[in-house]
Amino acid sequence: MEQYQVPTSLTVLAGIFLVLGGVRLLIPIVDIILDDGQGIRIPVWPINAAYLGPLSLYLYFKYRRPARPSEGVKGCHDHHQAKDDHSNHPTAHQLPVPDSGTSSDTEKGREDAHAQHSMGDNRPMWATVAIGVSHCGAGCVLGDLVGEWLVYGTSTTINSRSVWPELLIDYAFALLFGIIFQSFSIAPMSGNYSPKTLVRALKADILSLTSFQIGLFGWMVAYQVGIWGYRMEMTTWVYWWMMQVGMFIGFWTAVPVNWWLIKMRIKEPCA
């Protein structure tokens, strides 16, 4: 089948959006380097800034930027930085619980305290949910990048079309990276680096990641099949601009699921 000849104007427009994404990607990287940041935030925030636009930078600088010593501790990944302060300030595990009541009531009280401690006093629910989506979003983006180039490099097709193996392979790699990011989010908070953390990450991330990919994959099928009839080459600027748009859509399709997961305490409030 003859490949689509992309108009120069469309290529220029795609290039503008992708270059802006690249600039946004560099901003948190530079800030993290200069501020000596560490942890899972290093890949998560630059990756999300590349497709999410100014919202990602707002969330990063407002709620998730590595805290300087004079600023105090913010966010779940900075939890380990506050260990020295725990002797003077009660943590979720140190908060007093009533002597009366069942063990389930006691455990619920600890979970409520942990949730409040994790989310912080000044962070609204919408920001907590958006940050939660960012972790699965980063995994999805990396998975899609690896999957797309793997399909392209191996010329894998189903019914002579590459889009169908792309969906399968992209999802598999997205799940892998998503679980890794989620695990490194949960482990420092719980202090548990055992396989149980992987199980918790899987439970927390599979619904979140799937809802993200539904938005992205829906758009991939729309532009590859519906708009360009399988004729858009993966090596064009427009193709990756469309992927950027799909990732943006996927972020918002994942918001309701993440809201529910966090509300039901299936997913860590700050993960």
Side-chain angles (χ1 to χ4, degrees), residues 57-271:
L57 295 180
Y58 173 80
L59 289 170
Y60 172 74
F61 283 103
K62 178 69 174 179
Y63 299 110
R64 299 305 309 234
R65 187 175 184 273
R68 294 185 176 91
S70 60
E71 294 175 345
V73 179
K74 299 178 181 179
C76 62
H77 297 308
D78 302 306
H79 177 70
H80 63 282
Q81 297 176 5
K83 287 182 179 178
D84 293 338
D85 297 331
H86 285 181
S87 58
N88 298 323
H89 301 284
T91 67
H93 298 291
Q94 296 170 332
L95 290 174
V97 295
D99 294 334
S100 59
T102 64
S103 59
S104 60
D105 293 335
T106 301
E107 184 63 29
K108 185 178 184 301
R110 287 175 177 170
E111 289 178 358
D112 291 340
H114 173 67
Q116 183 178 3
H117 172 77
S118 297
M119 286 191 293
D121 295 330
N122 300 319
R123 197 168 80 186
M125 182 62 172
W126 72 264
T128 298
V129 172
I131 290 168
V133 178
S134 295
H135 283 269
C136 77
C140 288
V141 171
L142 283 183
D144 294 328
L145 289 173
V146 173
E148 291 291 307
W149 287 107
L150 182 62
V151 170
Y152 177 79
T154 58
S155 301
T156 304
T157 61
I158 296 177
N159 292 332
S160 301
R161 309 296 185 190
S162 62
V163 63
W164 311 121
E166 285 171 2
L167 301 182
L168 297 173
I169 296 174
D170 287 2
Y171 182 80
F173 277 104
L175 187 61
L176 173 63
F177 286 117
I179 291 174
I180 290 173
F181 285 151
Q182 191 67 30
S183 297
F184 279 97
S185 171
I186 294 173
M189 290 186 294
S190 64
N192 187 346
Y193 292 84
S194 71
K196 283 186 177 182
T197 298
L198 289 176
V199 174
R200 288 183 62 192
L202 181 61
K203 288 172 59 179
D205 214 47
I206 191 167
L207 288 177
S208 176
L209 184 144
T210 300
S211 62
F212 187 104
Q213 295 292 66
I214 286 174
L216 171 57
F217 288 172
W219 177 244
M220 285 176 65
V221 173
Y223 81 79
Q224 290 196 48
V225 181
I227 299 177
W228 282 292
Y230 301 103
R231 295 184 300 131
M232 177 63 68
E233 282 277 8
M234 199 197 80
T235 52
T236 63
W237 285 74
V238 174
Y239 183 96
W240 289 102
W241 176 34
M242 293 296 98
M243 289 293 289
Q244 186 186 48
V245 172
M247 292 164 187
F248 182 83
I249 295 172
F251 181 93
W252 295 107
T253 58
V255 165
V257 171
N258 275 266
W259 194 292
W260 178 79
L261 288 171
I262 291 172
K263 184 177 180 181
M264 299 302 293
R265 297 193 186 92
I266 297 172
K267 186 171 183 175
E268 291 287 345
C270 52

Side-chain angles (χ1 to χ4, degrees), residues 8-20:
T8 302
S9 58
L10 195 58
T11 299
V12 171
L13 184 61
I16 291 173
F17 276 92
L18 292 175
V19 168
L20 287 175

Side-chain angles (χ1 to χ4, degrees), residues 39-61:
I40 199 67
R41 78 168 63 86
I42 291 178
V44 165
W45 290 104
I47 291 171
N48 282 282
Y51 73 87
L52 191 54
L55 175 60
S56 182
L57 295 180
Y58 173 80
L59 289 170
Y60 172 74
F61 283 103

